[in-house]
Amino acid sequence: MELSPNNQNEDRKPILTADGLVQTSNSPFESTISQETQTSNGIGTQCQLTVDQLDIEILPIIYDVVRCVEKDPLENAVKLRESQDCNHKIFELQKRFESAREQIRQLPGIDFNKDEQLQRLELLRNQLKLKQQLIRKYKDTEF
């Protein structure tokens, strides 16, 4: 138990560092790690997406918009109808862009800048190496 800035008792969980030490952390990733743990345990309320789960299909709609713009009918009635169809397709494209933006905002780690993401990636790689070494050491141990 540690005291928080509000002088309240705060339970901090130990974290395994890249060099194999266990410590409590004040890093910017601490809240993210605990949120990820809560989400994986079913405690979190937001559904976090992965890149594979993103549904961003905009190319067919862009193709339809370009085809619609390329058409050049001679009659005014046909021009009006084609213009309305084109406006509808552009509106559909705008909805797809907004949907893509919302999905991207739900990706984990999107709120970190590039340096923080690279720092986190390096930390996770070091943890992976450490765990692989521990597994090898455990497998080599005879009972």
Side-chain angles (χ1 to χ4, degrees):
M1 292 276 194
E2 295 181 16
L3 291 179
S4 69
N6 301 340
N7 291 329
Q8 297 176 354
N9 284 339
E10 187 175 290
D11 188 26
R12 292 188 183 247
K13 295 184 172 127
I15 297 174
L16 182 66
T17 62
D19 55 359
L21 300 176
V22 177
Q23 67 179 12
T24 58
S25 173
N26 291 327
S27 71
F29 304 118
E30 181 180 59
S31 62
T32 304
I33 292 171
S34 64
Q35 287 174 358
E36 289 173 0
T37 305
Q38 289 175 357
T39 304
S40 65
N41 292 337
I43 299 171
T45 55
Q46 280 189 345
C47 174
Q48 292 201 357
L49 293 174
T50 63
V51 175
D52 295 332
Q53 294 172 332
L54 290 179
D55 181 31
I56 302 174
E57 290 289 325
I58 59 173
L59 195 56
I61 296 177
I62 291 174
Y63 178 74
D64 289 342
V65 169
V66 170
R67 262 193 15 221
C68 183
V69 170
E70 285 179 342
K71 291 181 185 177
D72 190 21
L74 298 175
E75 297 178 22
N76 285 336
V78 176
K79 278 185 181 182
L80 181 61
R81 190 182 72 229
E82 289 294 326
S83 175
Q84 289 174 346
D85 289 343
C86 195
N87 284 336
H88 176 69
K89 290 178 182 179
I90 291 172
F91 180 70
E92 180 69 27
L93 180 62
Q94 288 174 341
K95 287 192 325 189
R96 289 283 178 105
F97 279 138
E98 188 59 37
S99 171
R101 286 184 190 110
E102 291 298 320
Q103 291 178 23
I104 289 171
R105 285 184 193 120
Q106 292 179 357
L107 288 174
I110 199 73
D111 51 340
F112 297 126
N113 65 29
K114 183 179 178 179
D115 293 333
E116 290 172 332
Q117 290 177 355
L118 291 173
Q119 182 182 8
R120 181 172 169 89
L121 178 62
E122 186 63 30
L123 176 69
L124 291 173
R125 282 185 179 153
N126 290 337
Q127 287 179 354
L128 177 63
K129 287 178 187 176
L130 176 66
K131 288 179 182 183
Q132 288 173 337
Q133 290 172 354
L134 289 173
I135 289 172
R136 264 188 256 117
K137 184 178 177 181
Y138 178 76
K139 286 183 178 180
D140 293 340
T141 305
E142 293 181 19
F143 293 100

